[in-house]
């Protein structure tokens, strides 16, 4: 079961966060840092990824999720043709 959390950052922007577990063997082989999965942070304008999420992340207080968000890497959204 996947957990979806929402929280607000210091500027009042609402974020959604969930754990992504890769199923692709190619991804696991070519991106070993993502093999254990990552946290996906997303709002209406931004998307970020945090590799190797801490155990129990879904039980962290919102203030700690804001800290993790600050260390996450920005991800470019795919453009649809």
């Amino acid at each position: 079961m996947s957990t979806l959390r929402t929280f607000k950052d210091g500027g009042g922007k609402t974020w959604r966060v969930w754990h992504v577990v890769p199923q692709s063997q190619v991804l696991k082989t070519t991106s070993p840092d993502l093999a254990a999965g990552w946290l996906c942070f997303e709002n209406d304008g931004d998307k970020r990824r945090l590799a190797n999420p801490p155990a129990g992340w879904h039980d962290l207080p919102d203030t700690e999720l804001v800290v993790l968000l600050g260390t996450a890497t920005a991800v470019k959204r795919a453009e649809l043709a």
Side-chain angles (χ1 to χ4, degrees):
M1 183 172 117
S2 181
T3 301
L4 174 68
R5 291 268 314 266
T6 59
F7 66 96
K8 291 187 187 265
D9 65 15
K13 189 182 289 188
T14 299
W15 290 83
R16 295 172 299 281
V17 59
W18 65 94
H19 186 208
V20 177
V21 179
Q23 300 300 309
S24 167
Q25 191 60 40
V26 172
L27 177 63
K28 290 178 184 181
T29 303
T30 59
S31 300
D33 57 324
L34 299 177
W38 59 90
L39 288 182
C40 181
F41 293 89
E42 187 175 61
N43 66 28
D44 292 334
D46 296 309
K47 189 171 186 176
R48 299 182 191 177
R49 181 183 297 147
L50 178 68
N52 301 311
W57 69 269
H58 42 77
D59 293 324
L60 293 174
D62 290 357
T63 54
E64 291 296 319
L65 290 177
V66 171
V67 171
L68 292 177
L69 171 66
T71 64
T73 304
V75 176
K76 196 174 195 182
R77 290 181 180 246
E79 293 185 27
L80 299 176

